[in-house]
Amino acid sequence: MPGTEAFRRSYAGRQLETQTRHSCPKWAFSILCHEGHLKAIESGGCPKAETSSSAAYAIRGLRQLLKEPWLARNRRALKSRVFGDRGDPDHRTPNGEMEVLLALWKAGAMSRG
């Protein structure tokens, strides 16, 4: 699975174990499936994802990529647009949501539209 590979490249040892227990990347993946953004996955399978803030960030990231695909090559710029910059009043620390999105995007798994 592309998302798992992204985590393996980003985290080593115990960090990988900790990150895979976090729900943020799971909600990001769930909403992308639920809304039908992944090829060969029928939409509607996870309505609970609609209430997750991590899911909302994943969708915000997807919208940015659809408007400006070059952001797939600039993770920092994408995260800044989705989560804000440190010091901004609405800033949120990312927790793997964009890694899942970018891994799926780069693997060609997204329906992109």
Side-chain angles (χ1 to χ4, degrees):
M1 169 180 281
T4 302
E5 288 305 312
F7 277 110
R8 285 192 181 122
R9 286 193 302 272
S10 300
Y11 302 103
R14 287 183 88 64
Q15 281 185 317
L16 176 63
E17 182 182 328
T18 300
Q19 286 300 321
T20 56
R21 283 192 307 236
H22 283 274
S23 64
C24 298
K26 294 171 189 173
W27 285 122
F29 181 77
S30 294
I31 196 67
L32 294 170
C33 293
H34 177 70
E35 290 194 358
H37 297 295
L38 296 180
K39 294 176 182 174
I41 295 181
E42 190 174 328
S43 64
C46 188
K48 191 170 181 179
E50 295 172 355
T51 63
S52 165
S53 61
S54 290
Y57 288 115
I59 295 301
R60 188 182 298 175
L62 177 59
R63 288 183 183 140
Q64 290 293 318
L65 288 173
L66 290 170
K67 283 193 301 188
E68 300 181 75
W70 67 268
L71 287 167
R73 296 184 310 276
N74 191 330
R75 183 182 312 189
R76 178 176 280 168
L78 177 61
K79 285 183 177 183
S80 174
R81 291 182 184 205
V82 172
F83 298 103
D85 294 315
R86 289 182 192 217
D88 290 348
D90 294 331
H91 174 263
R92 177 188 178 266
T93 302
N95 193 8
E97 299 94 343
M98 293 305 100
E99 283 70 22
V100 170
L101 174 62
L102 288 170
L104 293 166
W105 180 273
K106 290 176 182 179
M110 306 298 297
S111 63
R112 298 190 187 195

